[in-house]
Amino acid sequence: MIGASLYFLQEKILFLPSTLAQDYQYDFRYPFEELFFETAENASINAIHFKSENPKGVILYFHGNAGDLSRWGIIGEHFVSLNYDVLIMDYRTYGKSTGTLSEQGFYDDADFCYNYLLKFYSEDDIVLYGRSLGTGIATYLASKHQPRQLILETPYYSILDVAKHRFPIFPVSALLKYKFPSNEFITKVNCPITMFHGTDDNVIPYSSAQKLKAVSPKLLTNFITIDGGEHNNLISFENYKDGIISILE
């Protein structure tokens, strides 16, 4: 019975969107443009494109599995303060975005955003940043393109790996519709990769990130351990802040 619930309710377990009215007005500290991308039939993706005065490049940011752009935009402003333009999209059903959730839909919408940026930036200017759920999407894009670099905050080996850790008594391999196999994508990445993960993360186990590191291209990968770091507080640690500044300088 619980296994059947896991199958039929997995979207509600994996994805925790909050929604916004279509006329909701964003309020951020930095200049931005609100965008709507018609990425597929019956799918409209809402995005925020922050603009800095003298950008060093642009960060395409993929957020975690909860919330919407009213929250994630504020987090993205940290990178604008480091003189980067930032594009953040809300996934289908999140915020003002509409459409049907599917794993392929995540990838297709991300690819659309990447190609949008190519109209305004060279590929050497694009930094892919994934946080939590978004690390699998960012890694997928990096495997298909040649960005400047890939930054992963609290990454996982695969969603399947995380699900096995969380539901060890169930046959999750057969039940799970969403796999997000970062372990497969990362072997095809050809740009510098930096991973940040906390040892006390109780959402995505530190061990899952270590497994991802083990299959990542060794000469391209820098794995930064945040001792005592949890899932949502890495920004409060000096070695995370120093690492980000070093990467984006």
Side-chain angles (χ1 to χ4, degrees), residues 19-111:
T19 59
L20 297 171
Q22 293 297 313
D23 61 355
Y24 178 88
Q25 298 294 308
Y26 294 110
D27 183 20
F28 300 117
R29 293 176 297 156
Y30 294 96
F32 68 92
E33 179 182 6
E34 182 179 5
L35 302 166
F36 287 90
F37 299 133
E38 304 302 318
T39 60
E41 186 176 359
N42 300 319
S44 176
I45 300 304
N46 186 218
I48 296 295
H49 192 178
F50 288 103
K51 308 289 182 68
S52 62
E53 288 189 14
N54 297 295
K56 299 176 182 177
V58 60
I59 294 172
L60 179 52
Y61 186 102
F62 297 100
H63 65 64
N65 74 329
D68 58 61
L69 285 178
S70 63
R71 171 199 174 198
W72 291 106
I74 293 171
I75 292 172
E77 287 184 308
H78 172 66
F79 302 104
V80 187
S81 72
L82 298 176
N83 296 317
Y84 275 80
D85 291 351
V86 180
L87 181 68
I88 309 179
M89 60 172 271
D90 252 342
Y91 310 126
R92 299 180 191 190
T93 76
Y94 286 70
K96 301 183 189 182
S97 294
T98 61
T100 302
L101 281 174
S102 71
E103 185 167 348
Q104 190 60 49
F106 279 98
Y107 300 147
D108 291 346
D109 296 344
D111 209 43

Side-chain angles (χ1 to χ4, degrees), residues 98-181:
T98 61
T100 302
L101 281 174
S102 71
E103 185 167 348
Q104 190 60 49
F106 279 98
Y107 300 147
D108 291 346
D109 296 344
D111 209 43
F112 189 100
C113 290
Y114 193 93
N115 288 324
Y116 169 81
L117 288 179
L118 289 176
K119 299 176 183 178
F120 307 100
Y121 306 87
S122 72
E123 200 164 24
D124 288 342
D125 290 329
I126 299 176
V127 175
L128 294 177
Y129 193 112
R131 177 169 171 177
S132 192
L133 172 67
T135 60
I137 302 164
T139 304
Y140 167 83
L141 271 190
S143 75
K144 299 291 183 182
H145 299 279
Q146 191 61 49
R148 181 196 299 179
Q149 58 185 302
L150 172 65
I151 303 173
L152 303 175
E153 180 181 345
T154 62
Y156 46 81
Y157 185 77
S158 68
I159 287 293
L160 180 60
D161 183 63
V162 176
K164 286 179 178 178
H165 178 84
R166 185 172 177 184
F167 305 103
I169 66 173
F170 297 111
V172 291
S173 296
L175 295 172
L176 203 62
K177 293 185 286 185
Y178 294 85
K179 305 298 174 65
F180 292 101

Side-chain angles (χ1 to χ4, degrees), residues 154-155 197-206 228-232 234:
T154 62
H197 210 101
T199 57
D200 294 355
D201 192 322
N202 62 3
V203 177
I204 297 174
Y206 179 69
E230 300 175 6
H231 192 67
N232 293 312
L234 298 193

